Amino acid sequence: MDWEAYRYKPSVDFYLAHNNQHLFIFYKVIEENHERSI
């Protein structure tokens, strides 16, 4: 993908935590458009 030509950037936040056995990842993505193509 040509990232320079693809200017859309959704808002993304993430947090990491662990308990010495597991890694927990919480992420939140806010997009303007919810379309998806496969």
Side-chain angles (χ1 to χ4, degrees):
M1 174 173 262
D2 181 6
W3 291 107
E4 291 296 320
Y6 190 71
R7 300 284 182 191
Y8 175 69
K9 295 178 183 162
S11 175
V12 179
D13 292 316
F14 71 94
Y15 302 92
L16 301 175
H18 70 89
N19 66 359
N20 291 325
Q21 289 186 329
H22 299 94
L23 175 64
F24 303 95
I25 304 171
F26 173 80
Y27 63 93
K28 180 172 142 180
V29 179
I30 299 174
E31 298 184 88
E32 294 175 10
N33 186 351
H34 298 286
E35 289 183 30
R36 184 176 106 178
S37 61
I38 298 176

